[in-house]
Amino acid sequence: QAASELAAFVKLQQQKAATSMQVKEAEVAVETAELELALAQRDRQLCEIASPIDGVVDQLDVVPQMRIGGGAVLAVVHQLDPIYVQMDYPMERLDSLELGQQAEVTLDAFAQETFTGKVVRIAPVVSTKTRVLPVTLEVPNPDNRIRAGISGFVRVKSEKAATKTIPSVA
């Protein structure tokens, strides 16, 4: 806008309809606008934050021109590849569970598909009320089709062979 006003004043001055003072003021307005633009671009560059993970922004806790302190949460980003599935595993079958074990995941949203994952974390504490322990599975999600919060069913493939038991009095 300042540049177009300057051009208009220059034309008016050529037609002797504007003073050189008005042209100088328009030139100052153009320089001021350019400086303000450069400062705004620098401020925008300083405000850009690159996320260390590829994901989807779920929650954004800041707005433009808001001042925040160090250590503040700016946004919540959900990583979607791989996606982590938490399941409750029965305590009675704990001896057949190990890290790296394969599991089949059937999700309610994709009832006709079965996803394959592996056990990546077994919680060290069993819930005494429900007699289950939390187990975390890692499921590849290259197309980001699976979303956080979907429920489903998990079937863990047991590699343990059937063994015979021997009574203690034998």
Side-chain angles (χ1 to χ4, degrees), residues 86-90 130 132-135:
Q86 183 174 343
M87 64 175 270
D88 292 330
Y89 197 80
T130 59
V132 296
L133 73 150
V135 174

Side-chain angles (χ1 to χ4, degrees), residues 105-122:
V105 180
T106 305
L107 301 171
D108 294 341
F110 304 100
Q112 303 301 320
E113 288 186 63
T114 301
F115 298 91
T116 304
K118 66 179 179 177
V119 176
V120 292
R121 184 174 186 274
I122 302 171

Side-chain angles (χ1 to χ4, degrees), residues 94-168:
L94 188 57
D95 62 337
S96 65
L97 186 67
E98 60 187 46
L99 289 174
Q101 196 168 356
Q102 295 294 312
E104 293 178 351
V105 180
T106 305
L107 301 171
D108 294 341
F110 304 100
Q112 303 301 320
E113 288 186 63
T114 301
F115 298 91
T116 304
K118 66 179 179 177
V119 176
V120 292
R121 184 174 186 274
I122 302 171
V125 179
V126 176
S127 170
T128 55
K129 288 182 180 179
T130 59
R131 299 175 58 87
V132 296
L133 73 150
V135 174
T136 305
L137 306 171
E138 183 179 277
V139 179
N141 188 21
D143 298 330
N144 293 337
R145 292 177 56 216
I146 304 172
R147 302 281 187 240
I150 297 175
S151 62
F153 180 79
V154 176
R155 194 174 281 119
V156 179
K157 295 181 180 181
S158 177
E159 301 291 327
K160 194 169 186 175
T163 59
K164 296 182 181 181
T165 58
I166 301 172
S168 60

Side-chain angles (χ1 to χ4, degrees), residues 1-3 6 23-39:
Q1 183 180 358
L6 174 62
V23 173
K24 288 291 182 190
E25 287 175 356
E27 287 174 352
V28 169
V30 168
E31 289 180 24
T32 303
E34 287 173 350
L35 286 173
E36 287 177 355
L37 176 62
L39 287 173

